[in-house]
Amino acid sequence: MKAIIKRELRAYFTSVIGWIFLAAFFFLFDLYFWAYSLNSGYPYISYSISAVTFIFLIIIPILTMRSIAEDRRTKTDQLLYTAPISIPRVILGKYFAMVIIFSIGIAFVCFCPLIMSCFGTIPFAQSYTAILGVWLFGLLAIAIGLFLSAVTESQVIAAVLSFGVLFLGYMMDSITSMISSSGNILTKILNCLAIATPMDNFTNGILDVTGIVYYVSGAILFLFFTCQLVQKYRWSVSSKKIKRGVFNSTFVLIGAVIVVVVNVLSYQLPEGVKNVDVTNQKLYTLTEDTYTVLDDLDQEVTLYMLSAEDDADDIIAKTLKRYAEASDYITVEYVDPTVSPNFYSTYTDTTPTEDSVIVVSENYSKVIDYYDIYEYTVDYTTYTQSISAYDGEGQITSAISYVTSGDLQTVYTITGHGETDLDSSFTDALEKMNLSVESLTLLTEDEVPDDAAAVIINGPTTDFSADDAQKIIDYLASGGKALITTSYEATGDMTNFDSILSEYGMQVSQGIVMESDRSYYYQYPFYLLPDVDSADQTENVDGYIMIVDAQAVENIDADSETLTFTTLLESSSSAYLKTNLDTMTTYEMEDGDEQGTFILGANVVDSETGAEVTVVTSVLTFNDTVDSYVSGQNLTLFKGIVSDYSDAETTVSIDAKEYSYDYLSVNQGFVIASAAILIVVLPIVLIVLGILIWFRRRKA
């Protein structure tokens, strides 16, 4: 077989075909690689691979068209068939020669992530998984082209047939969608011929075991078909013609059945085995929080996806499969809106978007709209919207927790004293934790309602009445929870509001905390980046917290036997407190300013009553704009505080998985030089070299 491989490689590289193939490969791939990664700075090689896959349908037939057709035309196949080597070895020799040539191009692609890594952070696992996918796709395409080259003596016809068959396989998904949007037996059979579909998993960051089995078994099957076809030609003049024909047909059928069975068995593997998540964000992997919720399930839950199964959003569908495999209590069903347009009406009055998920238990249901599963950002320079994060697991786990819990609670935001409304991302976080958010005007209520998981007092600017303050004090005395932020803009005497804090050994100082240590503030000395102390509430904080226009809170009852005071946020020792805001002339420290370490956030627990109060000394802390400066870490702190207040079984909250990435920083000189070398010089050199070798051989 080695002799056959050498013969074929020599034939490819002493003619222009091998050189033209490599020149076309490098030109087309390098064009997209330069455009996406080097010029635009995208760190994912999969963008280039996805764009160039269709081009392989054209250039691979160029590589395969001569493999057997040319031997048949020149009758040199008879020499091979009469040589002391079996037909399968001849076929494999030709096949491996073409695979080697194709792999030369893929080897170059393997260097691209290394080149990209010089200019930024690269997801190597995703990159090489995508490269593996396109290499496997090439193996199958070459095997198909080899088989079709054995059908005819004409290289042109072989190339046209190969392109036609590969194009048909590439478009099969679209064809079956036109046949039936909901899917049927015919479309399921035809989808087995969709050769490009497994590529999607590889380029999306999934090491797809079923895809590997599909491409390898498909390549083996077409090599087997080729061997059987050539065997039939070889024996066509034999007296055993009929017998050999039956022999070939029987073996072809058996081979096809074996490949089908192998692929069917591969699809029965657990989702976590057959689809290995190699994405940096672990988009398709369930977290421990989800497994904890699923392990505690004791009732049936059905996840209805509003889509035909074949057309469902691939990421959501894979997530649902993981849920079904993780618990025997979870069932996944697909409901095609075109077949059952009113299915949703049992659970909601509002028409959900296609690909939405409805989570249903015996007594409760919750609709997760498709647009809540993905988070979006808007580029206001171009007014375009793009997906920024995937929140499928967070939403689905939260919904499962909701529909299986019979004791749902409410967080009340206190109003009537100039409080600031919570921004949307913070109220969304509460709702995702299965805590309904309602405003509460104490003036119109006799007491804080019994279903309160906690109350939030967000930066009051006018004082509470004595009656309002007493209602909060009574609620806390019965084991209640409160999150309180303060505002330096509070006007007048705040005696009654202060009495709530003093019940729990806390007092807020007037004025604003400033920083002189530049590592503790951002741009302005009152945009503080405090130290985050270790506590249950701050456990998940992984970065800076920003707190703007902060006051300071003091522990005025340090000797209490029942109150436990825990510092959450504190300034550096170089901080100072500006108390005369109306008369200050500079942000720098002045005479009369108090210097020292100031507490900016604290938690107090009353061991006698179970009451818990958390104070953060700036109303702007839980604000979307401020939170964006620190990449969502203020929101993480908020969720840590609230989850500590509430029943853990119903307030599970899993963060959305970010799609964001850092662009490559490629200098302009390298961009220009790489364009010239990769797109122009390299392909031209290969073609010229091929022509020179071909011309020298002909002249010799």
Side-chain angles (χ1 to χ4, degrees):
M1 188 166 67
K2 289 182 179 179
I4 299 297
I5 294 175
K6 290 180 180 179
R7 172 187 180 272
E8 291 297 312
L9 288 175
R10 188 181 304 112
Y12 277 111
F13 288 114
T14 54
S15 67
V16 294
I17 291 179
W19 299 103
I20 288 176
F21 173 82
L22 289 177
F25 185 106
F26 288 134
F27 171 75
L28 294 167
F29 175 79
D30 290 347
L31 180 63
Y32 287 105
F33 172 62
W34 178 84
Y36 282 119
S37 297
L38 300 182
N39 189 47
S40 299
Y42 292 113
Y44 292 103
I45 195 73
S46 56
Y47 290 6
S48 306
I49 288 173
S50 297
V52 83
T53 300
F54 179 79
I55 308 299
F56 287 167
L57 308 185
I58 301 172
I59 64 174
I60 286 179
I62 295 174
L63 181 67
T64 63
M65 65 183 183
R66 66 164 298 279
S67 54
I68 296 178
E70 179 66 9
D71 285 341
R72 289 186 61 193
R73 186 185 68 83
T74 60
K75 307 303 181 183
T76 54
D77 59 334
Q78 299 301 320
L79 296 175
L80 293 174
Y81 301 153
T82 57
I85 183 172
S86 65
I87 294 300
R89 287 178 177 271
V90 173
I91 300 304
L92 287 175
K94 290 176 173 291
Y95 177 72
F96 286 138
M98 291 184 287
V99 168
I100 289 171
I101 296 171
F102 178 70
S103 297
I104 292 172
I106 296 298
F108 170 80
V109 177
C110 289
F111 281 106
C112 292
L114 300 177
I115 296 171
M116 295 159 62
S117 68
C118 297
F119 306 103
T121 302
I122 302 300
F124 282 106
Q126 288 177 250
S127 297
Y128 286 107
T129 298
I131 293 171
L132 173 63
V134 76
W135 184 72
L136 291 168
F137 175 84
L139 296 189
L140 176 57
I142 291 170
I144 292 172
L146 177 64
F147 169 71
L148 294 172
S149 180
V151 172
T152 177
E153 295 181 358
S154 169
Q155 293 188 48
V156 175
I157 293 175
V160 172
L161 284 175
S162 297
F163 172 76
V165 171
L166 293 175
F167 179 75
L168 188 64
Y170 185 86
M171 297 298 296
M172 191 56 69
D173 261 349
S174 301
I175 293 171
T176 55
S177 296
M178 290 188 290
I179 293 173
S180 173
S181 60
S182 58
N184 53 41
I185 296 296
L186 176 61
T187 59
K188 289 182 183 296
I189 294 173
L190 292 176
N191 278 332
C192 296
L193 307 177
I195 61 174
T197 300
M199 269 288 296
D200 293 339
N201 282 341
F202 289 99
T203 55
N204 287 330
I206 295 177
L207 182 59
D208 186 358
V209 174
T210 59
I212 295 173
V213 171
Y214 176 83
Y215 283 128
V216 173
S217 64
I220 292 173
L221 180 63
F222 276 95
L223 289 174
F224 176 71
F225 285 169
T226 306
C227 290
Q228 292 300 305
L229 183 60
V230 172
Q231 285 278 22
K232 187 173 182 180
Y233 288 146
R234 185 179 186 184
W235 288 90
S236 62
V237 295
S238 169
S239 60
K240 301 178 181 179
K241 179 178 179 180
I242 297 177
K243 182 178 179 181
R244 288 290 175 180
V246 174
F247 179 83
N248 278 286
S249 300
T250 303
F251 260 56
V252 165
L253 180 60
I254 292 173
V257 170
I258 290 173
V259 168
V260 169
V261 170
V262 168
N263 278 271
V264 169
L265 291 176
S266 73
Y267 273 93
Q268 305 311 309
L269 293 171
E271 188 69 20
V273 174
K274 69 182 181 182
N275 289 319
V276 181
D277 185 356
V278 297
T279 59
N280 283 2
Q281 311 93 327
K282 295 300 178 186
L283 287 175
Y284 313 99
T285 304
L286 302 184
T287 62
E288 288 300 320
D289 288 338
T290 291
Y291 283 112
T292 299
V293 170
L294 298 181
D295 288 343
D296 292 338
L297 280 183
D298 58 2
Q299 57 181 289
E300 299 290 336
V301 176
T302 303
L303 310 179
Y304 293 103
M305 187 168 184
L306 302 183
S307 172
E309 186 169 1
D310 291 340
D311 297 330
D313 180 287
D314 192 53
I315 296 178
I316 301 173
K318 282 183 169 56
T319 302
L320 295 179
K321 286 180 183 178
R322 302 266 173 143
Y323 278 92
E325 290 184 352
S327 174
D328 293 335
Y329 288 102
I330 299 290
T331 302
V332 175
E333 295 186 17
Y334 291 85
V335 179
D336 188 346
T338 61
V339 177
S340 304
N342 296 317
F343 175 81
Y344 70 88
S345 60
T346 305
Y347 310 104
T348 179
D349 295 331
T350 305
T351 306
T353 312
E354 188 170 347
D355 282 323
S356 297
V357 177
I358 303 178
V359 182
V360 181
S361 68
E362 183 178 354
N363 299 315
Y364 298 95
S365 66
K366 186 173 183 179
V367 178
I368 308 170
D369 194 81
Y370 175 77
Y371 288 110
D372 292 329
I373 293 175
Y374 291 97
E375 295 182 359
Y376 300 84
T377 56
V378 178
D379 184 344
Y380 289 102
T381 61
T382 59
Y383 292 96
T384 57
Q385 180 175 268
S386 60
I387 295 175
S388 60
Y390 173 64
D391 197 24
E393 182 189 3
Q395 294 289 345
I396 294 168
T397 298
S398 176
I400 291 172
S401 179
Y402 171 84
V403 301
T404 55
S405 174
D407 185 24
L408 305 180
Q409 296 177 293
T410 301
V411 169
Y412 289 96
T413 57
I414 304 302
T415 61
H417 318 95
E419 291 89 351
T420 299
D421 292 336
L422 282 175
D423 279 355
S424 60
S425 61
F426 295 89
T427 56
D428 289 346
L430 290 170
E431 291 170 357
K432 187 176 173 182
M433 298 166 76
N434 298 322
L435 294 166
S436 61
V437 184
E438 295 184 17
S439 60
L440 177 66
T441 303
L442 293 170
L443 182 64
T444 62
E445 300 289 338
D446 294 331
E447 60 183 9
V448 175
D450 293 336
D451 66 344
V455 296
I456 295 177
I457 305 173
N458 197 31
T461 55
T462 60
D463 197 16
F464 281 49
S465 67
D467 190 41
D468 285 355
Q470 191 60 48
K471 290 173 186 176
I472 297 295
I473 292 170
D474 291 344
Y475 163 70
L476 293 172
S478 63
K481 322 287 184 182
L483 168 59
I484 300 173
T485 66
T486 65
S487 173
Y488 83 94
E489 293 181 330
T491 57
D493 186 12
M494 298 289 286
T495 301
N496 294 321
F497 171 71
D498 291 340
S499 69
I500 300 173
L501 300 179
S502 64
E503 284 286 325
Y504 294 90
M506 289 182 285
Q507 177 178 301
V508 175
S509 303
Q510 297 300 311
I512 296 178
V513 176
M514 303 276 187
E515 278 284 1
S516 58
D517 187 337
R518 293 191 63 85
S519 63
Y520 279 80
Y521 70 87
Y522 173 73
Q523 292 186 341
Y524 303 101
F526 49 88
Y527 277 42
L528 308 183
L529 303 173
D531 283 327
V532 180
D533 291 358
S534 178
D536 290 342
Q537 295 83 356
T538 61
E539 180 180 5
N540 294 321
V541 174
D542 185 21
Y544 290 112
I545 294 293
M546 179 176 283
I547 181 166
V548 179
D549 294 339
Q551 298 175 281
V553 62
E554 300 176 44
N555 181 4
I556 59 174
D557 198 0
D559 297 328
S560 173
E561 295 182 359
T562 61
L563 299 179
T564 301
F565 185 97
T566 303
T567 300
L568 303 180
L569 307 169
E570 60 182 337
S571 72
S572 74
S573 58
S574 301
Y576 49 94
L577 184 68
K578 287 252 180 214
T579 55
N580 300 316
L581 300 179
D582 294 335
T583 59
M584 75 175 192
T585 58
T586 176
Y587 290 143
E588 302 294 331
M589 186 174 177
E590 301 175 287
D591 291 339
D593 293 343
E594 178 185 349
Q595 185 175 19
T597 301
F598 297 97
I599 298 173
L600 309 177
N603 174 263
V604 175
V605 176
D606 188 334
S607 60
E608 186 174 347
T609 64
E612 186 171 357
V613 178
T614 303
V615 172
V616 179
T617 59
S618 170
V619 67
L620 295 176
T621 306
F622 304 128
N623 168 278
D624 285 345
T625 301
V626 174
D627 185 50
S628 67
Y629 284 116
V630 287
S631 303
Q633 292 304 307
N634 284 17
L635 178 59
T636 300
L637 173 64
F638 177 82
K639 291 190 289 188
I641 293 170
V642 176
S643 64
D644 188 59
Y645 287 168
S646 309
D647 182 352
E649 292 184 359
T650 60
T651 58
V652 60
S653 180
I654 299 169
D655 291 336
K657 298 173 181 179
E658 299 289 336
Y659 278 124
S660 60
Y661 53 82
D662 295 326
Y663 283 89
L664 303 178
S665 300
V666 187
N667 64 72
Q668 195 62 27
F670 188 87
V671 171
I672 296 171
S674 62
I677 294 171
L678 297 177
I679 302 173
V680 180
V681 175
L682 181 59
I684 290 176
V685 167
L686 289 171
I687 291 174
V688 170
L689 185 60
I691 292 173
L692 289 175
I693 291 173
W694 172 80
F695 182 77
R696 182 179 178 183
R697 179 173 174 269
R698 281 183 59 88
K699 189 175 180 180

